[in-house]
Amino acid sequence: MTRIDDTFARLKSEGKKAFVAYVMAGDPDFDTSLEIVKSLPGAGVDIIELGAPFTDPMADGPTIQLAGQRALEAGMTMGRTLEMVRAFRAGNTTTPIVLMGYYNPIYSRGVDTFLAEAKEAGVDGLIVVDLPPEEDDELCIPAQKAGLNFIRLATPTTDEKRLPKVLQNTSGFVYYVSITGITGSAEAQAGDVGPEVARIKAQTDLPVIVGFGIKTPDGARNIASVADGAVVGSAIVAQIAEGKSASDVTAFVKSLADGAHSA
C-alpha cells in the first residue's frame, strides 16, 4: 500500500471524490513554488501532481510550457525538484506526491539513481507521458519494484484493443485525458467523459481520475461526479503566471477542491 492507495481508501470510506492539483515545480521560483505546494493540502488537495520542468514538453499546451520555461530560467533542475519534495515532506508525511514529466531528465540522471532519490525524497508515483507500455522495462517495472506507483494515461483514442495494454502495469490510479489534444485546451464535458470512465472501470479496479480541460469549480464537480476524481493543472498554473500571491492561488485551489468534493 502506497500513500496513493491509502488516500483513495480513505476517500472511499468518506464517500468523497479525489481532487488532484498540478503545479510546476519551481514556477515562478523555488521559494514561491514551495510555499504554494505546502499550502495545497490545507486547501483540500488530496494528491499533488508536481511537474518536473523539461525543455520539450510535447503533451503540454502554452500555459504549462511557459511555466516550465519560467522554472528552468529560475534554475530548476530534477535535483532541485526532488529537493522541493524533501522540503514538503519535512512538514507533511501523508499527502501523496506524483511527479509528472518526461523521460529525458530521468534517463540522463540514470534510472536506478533517480528511483532511489525519488523514493528517499518522498515521491509516491510517476506519470511519464512519453514512455508507452512497450517501454515498461525501461522505467515502469523498475519503479514499481522500488515502491513507486506508475500511473498511465488513457485517452479518447485508447480503443478496446489498446486499453488492456495501457492498464497492464499501471498502479495507483488511471489518469483519463478527457479531450484529444494538449493541456489547457478545450473544456471537458461530463456527458462525454462518463461513458469513457465506465469503459475503463470495466477493465480495472483502479480509480479513474480525469484531467485536461477542467477550469472551474463547477467543471471539477461535474467531472468528479462521473469519475473517481478530477485533476486541475493549467487553470492553477495560469493563476501563478498572472503573479497572484500564494494565498490567492491557494484560495482558487480551495474553490476547485470544494467543487470536486461536492460531487
Side-chain angles (χ1 to χ4, degrees):
M1 291 283 284
T2 64
R3 272 185 281 247
I4 294 171
D5 299 326
D6 289 343
T7 295
F8 281 112
R10 173 183 60 77
L11 289 167
K12 189 174 183 180
S13 73
E14 296 171 357
K16 287 170 73 176
K17 301 300 180 73
F19 180 66
V20 183
Y22 171 98
V23 293
M24 178 68 73
D27 174 33
D29 56 68
F30 186 94
D31 291 341
T32 306
S33 183
L34 178 59
E35 183 183 357
I36 291 168
V37 172
K38 284 181 173 179
S39 76
L40 294 177
V45 173
D46 299 300
I47 297 172
I48 297 168
E49 263 183 38
L50 192 60
F54 178 51
T55 52
D56 190 22
M58 60 189 179
D60 293 306
T63 301
I64 290 178
Q65 284 188 24
L66 289 168
Q69 287 179 15
R70 289 191 297 271
L72 291 168
E73 286 166 8
M76 209 60 184
T77 61
M78 180 61 80
R80 295 209 79 202
T81 301
L82 295 175
E83 188 182 320
M84 183 172 286
V85 176
R86 286 187 203 97
F88 174 84
R89 282 282 169 244
N92 183 308
T93 58
T94 55
T95 304
I97 288 184
V98 174
L99 215 57
M100 183 169 187
Y102 298 83
Y103 186 46
N104 185 285
I106 296 170
Y107 176 78
S108 62
R109 203 168 185 85
V111 168
D112 292 342
T113 299
F114 167 79
L115 290 174
E117 289 177 342
K119 183 70 177 171
E120 175 270 325
V123 173
D124 301 287
L126 303 174
I127 300 174
V128 183
V129 298
D130 54 349
L131 273 185
E134 287 75 15
E135 308 292 338
D136 274 358
D137 289 341
E138 192 81 21
L139 180 64
C140 173
I141 304 300
Q144 311 260 35
K145 286 180 179 172
L148 296 172
N149 288 128
F150 199 87
I151 295 139
R152 189 82 68 192
L153 303 179
T155 74
T157 58
T158 307
D159 61 19
E160 293 304 305
K161 184 178 179 184
R162 181 67 175 167
L163 186 59
K165 187 78 172 173
V166 168
L167 296 174
Q168 185 175 299
N169 291 314
T170 300
S171 66
F173 60 92
V174 179
Y175 188 135
Y176 178 67
V177 176
S178 63
I179 53 174
T180 305
I182 53 176
T183 57
S185 48
E187 193 148 351
Q189 302 297 327
D192 299 329
V193 169
E196 292 295 298
V197 170
R199 181 170 71 89
I200 296 166
K201 289 180 78 67
Q203 296 201 35
T204 181
D205 293 329
L206 291 171
V208 179
I209 306 300
V210 177
F212 286 47
I214 304 169
K215 304 173 183 180
T216 64
D218 283 346
R221 178 187 304 109
N222 292 340
I223 294 300
S225 71
V226 297
D228 295 302
V231 186
V232 178
S234 294
I236 298 169
V237 172
Q239 297 271 313
I240 297 168
E242 289 172 16
K244 298 280 180 71
S245 67
S247 59
D248 283 347
V249 173
T250 304
F252 176 65
V253 171
K254 186 179 186 306
S255 72
L256 297 165
D258 289 347
H261 290 150
S262 68

